[in-house]
């Protein structure tokens, strides 16, 4: 039986209960993270908790995730799952309130929930469609209110695609559950951090590309420029870096995963190994390239 964590307790999933007065249930008033685990080790947990804490602060939810406490909780869930490759889902809502009111009452305790999600989808070639980005203006918050994202991915599936690339004012923003990188010759472009989620994988990949002297820029990407892309990549914690094979039914490059993608994935996976080996967890951690916001 899958064990989950709920407000201080480890329980079988079918015994975990949340009140119908929880503001997460009534309003979608909460935030979440998806944290990969490989060989029993949590990947970039410090970066995920930093983003979560930043989001909690932005929503004025009075809770701070302590690194040691959440390392212990999530590690225990991974161990009970049997280790291996999986992802952890961690959700915090503003908590349970006696009356339904948009305005939250003082003293409400957040509801803390975590579970193992499996299987990890892993890296694979993706077919995508483009759709208008109709979401709100606070997409930098990893909110549990994912209705628009759900609709985009349902539409992608209906059209036989794996992901939707979103377009606002003629510019690419991100995927429904991923960030996007576009390769033109030797240059790699990714949309700037405006109205998108500051993805952990995006951030790590940007830093690795800079380290390897790849000409990588955070620039607005007009959707019509996708037609001349040599490669397009999607990034996400469970996807890692995935090559896009086709956009709206039209092949990207020769329709095969590209050589730049192969190299980037190699750097990324090697970096994961180094970091997991304990050499790089706090002392030489990925920094934020100067002048770029992270939202973390
Ligand atoms: C909208 C959106 N953008 C980007 C990402 C990628 O973020 P990360 O690399 O932190 O997983 C996600 C992940 O779920 C997402 O939902």
């Amino acid at each position: 039986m899958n064990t989950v964590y709920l407000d201080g307790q480890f329980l079988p999933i079918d015994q975990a209960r949340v009140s119908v007065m929880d503001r997460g249930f009534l309003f979608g008033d909460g935030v979440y993270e998806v944290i990969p685990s490989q060989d029993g080790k949590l990947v970039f947990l410090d970066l995920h908790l930093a983003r979560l804490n930043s989001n909690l602060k932005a929503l004025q939810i009075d809770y701070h995730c302590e690194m040691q406490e959440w390392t212990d909780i999530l590690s225990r869930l991974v161990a009970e799952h049997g280790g291996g490759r999986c992802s952890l889902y961690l959700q915090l809502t503003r908590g349970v309130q006696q009356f339904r009111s948009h305005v939250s009452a003082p003293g409400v305790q957040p509801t803390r929930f975590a579970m193992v999600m499996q299987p990890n989808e892993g890296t694979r070639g993706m077919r995508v469609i483009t759709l208008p980005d109709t979401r709100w203006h606070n997409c930098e918050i990893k909110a549990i209110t994912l209705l628009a994202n759900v609709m985009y991915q349902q539409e992608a599936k209906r059209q036989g695609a794996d992901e939707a690339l979103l377009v606002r004012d003629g510019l690419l923003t991100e995927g429904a559950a991923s960030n996007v990188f576009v390769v033109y010759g030797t240059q790699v472009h990714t949309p700037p951090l405006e109205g998108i989620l500051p993805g952990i994988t995006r951030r790590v990949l940007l830093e690795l590309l800079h380290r390897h002297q790849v000409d990588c820029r955070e620039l607005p990407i007009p959707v019509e420029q996708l037609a001349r892309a040599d490669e397009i990549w999607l990034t996400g914690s469970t996807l890692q870096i995935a090559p896009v094979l086709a956009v709206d039914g039209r092949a990207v490059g020769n329709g095969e995963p590209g050589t730049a993608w192969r190299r980037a994935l190699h750097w990324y996976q090697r970096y994961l190994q180094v970091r997991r080996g304990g050499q790089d967890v706090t002392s030489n951690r990925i920094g934020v390239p100067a002048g770029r916001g992270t939202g973390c």
Side-chain angles (χ1 to χ4, degrees), residues 177-226:
S178 54
N179 290 114
V180 60
F181 287 71
V182 183
V183 181
Y184 305 107
T186 57
Q187 277 192 13
V188 182
H189 294 183
T190 192
L193 288 183
E194 281 153 28
I196 65 170
L197 186 81
I200 304 298
T201 324
R202 174 191 182 279
R203 170 177 168 176
V204 172
L205 177 59
L206 265 178
E207 178 73 17
L208 288 174
L209 293 172
H210 286 297
R211 275 190 197 179
H212 287 276
Q213 272 99 43
V214 174
D215 185 356
C216 183
R217 303 170 190 203
E218 293 177 85
L219 282 178
I221 303 175
V223 64
E224 63 272 10
Q225 285 187 15
L226 287 183

Side-chain angles (χ1 to χ4, degrees), residues 129-147:
I129 57 168
T130 51
L131 288 176
D133 190 344
T134 55
R135 298 172 302 168
W136 68 334
H137 289 283
N138 295 106
C139 294
E140 77 283 2
I141 297 175
K142 202 164 168 62
I144 59 173
T145 31
L146 286 172
L147 191 53

Side-chain angles (χ1 to χ4, degrees), residues 73-183:
I73 293 169
L74 300 177
S75 301
R76 176 161 165 190
L77 290 177
V78 172
E80 298 221 3
H81 172 74
R85 196 172 164 171
C86 60
S87 294
L88 281 304
Y89 178 82
L90 164 54
Q91 171 174 311
L92 279 109
T93 72
R94 199 179 300 271
V96 177
Q97 194 171 320
Q98 266 187 325
F99 302 99
R100 184 185 179 279
S101 161
H102 285 55
V103 181
S104 62
V108 171
Q109 292 301 310
T111 303
R112 293 155 292 140
F113 172 65
M115 66 176 172
V116 171
M117 298 193 319
Q118 67 165 131
N120 211 339
E121 54 187 314
T123 301
R124 61 198 163 94
M126 308 280 278
R127 295 174 192 283
V128 304
I129 57 168
T130 51
L131 288 176
D133 190 344
T134 55
R135 298 172 302 168
W136 68 334
H137 289 283
N138 295 106
C139 294
E140 77 283 2
I141 297 175
K142 202 164 168 62
I144 59 173
T145 31
L146 286 172
L147 191 53
N149 310 60
V150 167
M151 289 168 70
Y152 301 144
Q153 288 219 341
Q154 306 260 52
E155 180 57 18
K157 181 152 195 232
R158 198 186 66 77
Q159 295 192 30
D162 307 292
E163 172 64 309
L165 280 188
L166 307 177
V167 181
R168 192 185 299 139
D169 300 329
L171 301 175
L172 209 56
T173 53
E174 61 184 329
S178 54
N179 290 114
V180 60
F181 287 71
V182 183
V183 181

